[in-house]
Structure formats: C-alpha cells, structure tokens
Amino acid sequence: MKSPQRSSPARNNTEDFMSNFDPGLIHHVLLTDPTDFPNLTMSGKPRAKKTPTFTQHAHSVGFPMVSSGESSSMDDENGESAAAPTPQSREDQISQTMRRAFHDMVVQSLSSKDWGSLQQLILELHGEIRALIPRRTDLHNILNDEEIRNLRYPATTLDDDDADDDGSSNNSKYLELTVKAYLPHIIKAAMSLAQLESEDRSETTSAWIADARRVVESFTEGVTTDTIYIGGGGGGMKPLPYLVCSVTYLQIKAQMCRADVADFHLSRTLAPRIQALGVPYERNVFYRRFGLMDHNGGMAVEDITSVTEKLPVTWEWVKGMVQKSEYGVDELRQSEEKRVKLVQAVGWVDSILFFRGGEDNGNSNEVIRIPEVLMQDVGNIHSIRDATRVAVNGSALALHASTIAGGNIALTSSDQALPAHVEARKKNLLDVMAQRAAASRDLYENRVAEAVVELAEAMATSPLSTTAVETLTSRTKATMRGEDPVIKLLDNRMKEVFRGMVVWNPQTAQATTNHIPVQMKTGRSILGVIGENSGGSDVFRTQFLKEAQREFTRKGFSIYASDLSQTCLMATKVIHLMCLLYGEIFISKMILMACSD
C-alpha cells in the first residue's frame, strides 16, 4: 500500500503564493507575453486611462449640479442632474441607486446638524490614503483622525433670536461653520493623496484642491453662499452636498491610486513569478475542481475511463474531433504530431471558434458547448468568435461597396494605402458597425447601409445611380442578417487562415508545409509561444503577426487584417496553453481511446 505523499516545503510555498491570486488572473498572465506585462491589471480590465474630474464624478453618482445663475436642491423633482449619464446595465443602475441613497442619507444628516456621517466618511478616506503607504507609519499621523473625531457642532453658536423670519440667517451661519470646519481637513487629505498619485492622476486632484481653497477663502472672508461654483464652467453645488461629494470623489481617486500601485507591482514583480509557477498550479487547481486527484494527493489521471466520466464535455469534444478528422484512426494512433494537429485545427478552430450553430448538419438549435479544459477561456472564445463575425460581415460589406463602385480600388485584398477620402469613409463604416448595442436592429441596419453607400460613392469614379444605391442597401441588410451567401464564403476563408496559423512555425515558413510540435506536452509551435523565454516570445509574436496579416490580406480581409492578426495570435496562445496543461496527460489518451471506440 502506498504511503500518503507529503507536500514539500517548496510546493507549500508555491501554493501559498499562488493562492493569493484569482485563477482567472493566473490564466491571463500565462497567456501574456512578458513584453506586455506592463499592460496587466489585477482586475483583468484595461487600466482606466482617463481620470474623472470632480464634475464628472458628481454626475456619475447622481449629485445635482446647478447651472450658473440657477438654483437646485437635493430634493428636486427628478432627484438627479440632467447631465448625469444613464447607466448602461442593470448592475450599474442598482449600484448608482445604492450610492445615491447613501449620499442622500449623509447630506440629510448634515442638514439635521449631525456631523457624524461626514466624519466617518473622512476617517475612511484617511484609512484609504494610509493604505497606499502601509509601511510608512511615520507618515500616517499627517492625517489626524482625532482632530476629525473631536469636531463637534457647538449648540450655542447659533442664536435663534438672531435668525431671520425664515431662518435663513441661522442656515447661512451653519453652512459657514460646517464648511470652515471640514473643508480644510478634506483639502489636507487631498494634498496627501496628490503626492502619492501618478502625474496624470494627480492633475484632477490638484484642480479640485484649487477650487476647494477658493471656497474656504470665500467663507473665511464672510461671503457665505448657498451655491458653490466649480472652476472650469463645471456648474455648482449646494455646500453640504459639495462636502459629501468631495470626500467620495477623493475616495474614488484613492481607490484608483491603489489599483495603479497594485498593477505596477503585478507587472514588475508578480507576473514573472506567476508565469513561472502558473502551469503546474493551474493544472492542480483543475484536478481538484473536477475530482481528478487520488486519496494520496496525486493526480488520478491514469484511469482514462474515469477521466472521461468526470470531464464529459471534453470527452464529447474529443470524440467529435476524431469523427471529423481527415486522418484515419491508424494514423492518429501512430502519430503524436497528427493528434496535436487534430486538437488545434479540428477541435479548436473548426469545432469551437468557427462552430456556427449547427449550420453544417441542419440543426440550427445546436449550441456550442465549451469543454471543461477550456472553461478559463470562455471570455476569450466569445471575444474571438465575435471578432471573426464582425470582420466577415464588414469585409462582405466592403466587397459589395467596391463591386458597386466599379472595383477600381482593391479595398479588401490589398495592403496599399487608400486615398484619404476613401480611408475616411472606410473608418466611418467600421465606427458605425461598432455601435451595434446603441441602436435598434432597424436603425442599426439603416446606419450601416448609409455608411456602405457613402463608401461606395467615395470609391466610384461617377455618381451612383438610384438603382445601384437601392441594390447596395438591399445587399447590406441581407449581409447584416446573415442571408448573404458571401458570408459563408468569407467565413470559410477566415477559418482556413486560422487553421494554418495555429500550427504555424516561422522556422519552416519558407517551406510549403507547416510544422506541428512533435509532442503534445510542448503545447507550442516553438519556444516562446507560451513560456518563460521573453526573447523567444517577442520574436515569435512579431513574425506571427506579420505572417497572419499577410494571410488575412490575401484572403480578402485587409481592412481588418491588423486586428484579426492579434485575435489569431490569442487563439493560438489559448490552444497551445491548453495542450501544455493537459495534452500529454490525458487529451492524447482520450484521442487514442476514441480511436478504439
């Protein structure tokens, strides 16, 4: 009987380190070239390049802004600024509603002469700023929490006998007292934050500080107003909402700064180590998730029948690719090279990336099923499929426009620079096509049709006839609805390019045949596609993108060739990483089992 395996200290250290990160982030790092590490973010989303101004923040969270010379109230009829952007999703609406309710509560507390909620907000801001420099405890006391806690509303400051009949005098004095008590502390926090932010982030913080200082000076000089106007024509706010909005704005800025610091640490320090340790760790996580570890903590993958039972979708995927294979079962049994090509070209490109809802077998209700081994790449799969569909549709529309215009300009199959007016119309078409979510289907189709006609008119040597415009409009709408036979032709052409590129090797590009890795375990065409060698990875990427762009241009996708090359590179990385993770361990064995069946 086997004795239980004991984890080595090195393995435990690896587990401890890697367990700090989301599995999705680890997978993303494994797919990233070392030269692209500076673009990595902890959230997985692109870095927010544009830092919101104070006014933009106020609109985004629903604080009402007052135009010059006008007045507004937190309790106005609509409860929001007309300039506030409409949330784009239900989640955004819920989040904004919750923020509005909280902000209203704090403002209402201030209106009731209760400073407690505002004090808590400022203390939270202090904590977020200190968190940016956790080891510099010597600097933490620059922001004095006790001073904030000790601020008390003096009940005897305002004498009701001095108030006007409508109480406005008391209200003005209260506003003056509150602003003068808290705004200097908020400014002090903002100054500390600005010193920690990157230069581009600190510009908006400095702009807020300049405005806030003018407000303090105004109230100090006895000029009390019921509206605080923001510099740069940003409108105005009531004093109490202004205080609350200012603190929440600086909190957002502190959170952005913290994200920037974390992203910098990720790109410079963490990502190289994650990539070095990521493959075995991701494999172990997968085994645990799907019950592929034995009672000793080892990998229970020797029993391939048990693996197929625990990974049913992967097993169906493997059987499907074997059935579609251009190789005989004897060839697959004998050749590891052919098994790799089967996975990459048939299993990946044909069966997933270019699976078109059962069009080939007449079952239009058939949907794509993602194998368990590719579950971390669901987002990448959807992104790749969407990119190819858009490129096929756009290229078909450009082809129709070129044909109607007389075909004197090779719009879709040449990498030559276009005349400036044609380039402008081409760019307009691409921009209009990218706005699908912003309009109804009919409106979207009409806008695209207009852009296609304008492109054809730019290419034509003479004005288009009414019949030509009507024909082009009809073809455009048929294309957008997937009813154009050209779509199928271009889709097959694009699939052909992807099939060739996922197995492409620059070392044998001069030859007429492509090179496939001879072992499933490598999971890559050459060193550097997925691996530690940053130099090899950079060389491969440069040569790959050049070859892919040439192929896409040759096949009639020149207007999308650059973007498609990047998409194709990601597709190549995804399937190579999958082979590296699971190819030799059980995918190859599944193929052999499917051959026997």
Side-chain angles (χ1 to χ4, degrees), residues 429-481:
L429 172 60
L430 300 183
D431 291 342
V432 171
M433 290 188 67
Q435 299 170 9
R436 176 65 185 90
S440 65
R441 172 175 166 173
D442 289 342
L443 180 58
Y444 176 65
E445 289 180 356
N446 289 335
R447 289 175 176 174
V448 172
E450 291 175 3
V452 173
V453 170
E454 290 173 357
L455 175 61
E457 290 174 338
M459 292 188 291
T461 55
S462 59
L464 298 180
S465 67
T466 301
T467 300
V469 171
E470 291 175 350
T471 299
L472 185 54
T473 300
S474 176
R475 288 181 182 177
T476 296
K477 294 185 176 181
T479 299
M480 300 304 294
R481 295 172 183 175

Side-chain angles (χ1 to χ4, degrees), residues 33 86 108 147 180 200 247 268 375 396 459 521:
D33 292 325
T86 302
Q108 185 59 44
E147 288 183 359
K180 290 167 65 175
D200 61 324
V247 180
R268 296 297 182 93
M375 288 303 293
M459 292 188 291
K521 67 182 179 182

Side-chain angles (χ1 to χ4, degrees), residues 490-508:
L490 293 179
D491 199 56
N492 286 334
R493 285 185 183 179
M494 186 172 297
K495 179 168 67 175
E496 181 182 342
V497 178
F498 271 77
R499 271 176 139 258
M501 292 308 302
V502 295
V503 297
W504 180 81
N505 182 347
Q507 294 176 348
T508 57

Side-chain angles (χ1 to χ4, degrees), residues 15 90 154 185 191 193 197 209 228 250 253 309 316 358 384 388 399 401 413 418 435 439 488 541 550 569:
E15 291 280 336
R90 183 175 179 82
H185 289 284
M191 293 173 63
L193 175 61
E197 292 180 297
I209 292 172
I228 295 174
L250 295 175
K253 295 296 300 291
E309 293 172 352
E316 290 300 319
I384 294 167
T388 57
L399 180 62
S413 58
L418 296 171
Q435 299 170 9
K488 182 68 173 178
R541 179 174 64 173
R550 187 184 71 84
L569 178 60

Side-chain angles (χ1 to χ4, degrees), residues 120-340:
Q120 186 58 39
L121 271 182
I122 296 174
L123 293 176
E124 291 174 1
L125 174 61
H126 284 184
E128 290 176 335
I129 294 174
R130 292 189 186 104
L132 298 174
I133 47 172
R135 298 180 181 178
R136 292 300 306 275
T137 56
D138 56 312
L139 301 178
H140 288 183
N141 290 332
I142 292 177
L143 302 177
N144 194 320
D145 290 350
E146 286 305 311
E147 288 183 359
I148 303 298
R149 294 190 183 98
N150 291 334
L151 287 173
R152 294 288 185 270
Y153 174 69
T156 60
T157 297
L158 304 181
D159 189 343
D160 290 339
D161 293 337
D162 296 333
D164 297 335
D165 292 340
D166 60 359
S168 60
S169 179
N170 269 356
N171 184 58
S172 296
K173 290 180 180 179
Y174 173 67
L175 292 178
E176 177 184 347
L177 179 65
T178 305
V179 170
K180 290 167 65 175
Y182 284 98
L183 194 51
H185 289 284
I186 302 173
I187 292 174
K188 188 174 183 180
M191 293 173 63
S192 297
L193 175 61
Q195 294 177 20
L196 299 173
E197 292 180 297
S198 61
E199 185 175 353
D200 61 324
R201 300 277 194 227
S202 66
E203 290 179 358
T204 50
T205 306
S206 298
W208 177 87
I209 292 172
D211 274 332
R213 282 174 170 164
R214 283 194 292 269
V215 173
V216 171
E217 291 173 1
S218 174
F219 276 83
T220 302
E221 293 170 358
V223 182
T224 303
T225 175
D226 66 347
T227 302
I228 295 174
Y229 288 98
I230 314 302
M237 298 181 72
K238 297 292 186 178
L240 299 184
Y242 174 79
L243 291 175
V244 177
C245 187
S246 294
V247 180
T248 60
Y249 176 59
L250 295 175
Q251 286 179 323
I252 292 294
K253 295 296 300 291
Q255 292 162 12
M256 294 183 74
C257 184
R258 186 169 187 176
D260 288 345
V261 172
D263 294 342
F264 180 83
H265 187 48
L266 171 65
S267 65
R268 296 297 182 93
T269 306
L270 301 178
R273 190 176 177 192
I274 290 174
Q275 193 168 82
L277 303 174
V279 169
Y281 180 80
E282 181 167 323
R283 190 183 291 131
N284 290 348
V285 170
F286 180 87
Y287 288 161
R288 285 194 292 268
R289 177 178 179 182
F290 291 99
L292 296 177
M293 300 191 78
D294 60 27
H295 63 282
N296 291 323
M299 309 306 169
V301 295
E302 294 304 322
D303 183 1
I304 198 64
T305 301
S306 176
V307 175
T308 61
E309 293 172 352
K310 294 179 178 180
L311 305 176
V313 182
T314 299
W315 175 228
E316 290 300 319
W317 177 55
V318 170
K319 289 192 295 183
M321 70 175 80
V322 170
Q323 292 171 0
K324 299 173 186 176
S325 174
E326 60 195 52
Y327 305 116
V329 293
D330 289 338
E331 291 179 283
L332 291 175
R333 288 193 186 105
Q334 296 170 10
S335 173
E336 179 80 1
E337 183 174 333
K338 289 182 171 59
R339 292 199 291 275
V340 174

Side-chain angles (χ1 to χ4, degrees), residues 404-423:
I404 288 292
N408 59 305
I409 295 179
L411 182 63
T412 62
S413 58
S414 173
D415 57 1
Q416 298 299 314
L418 296 171
H421 66 291
V422 176
E423 179 66 32

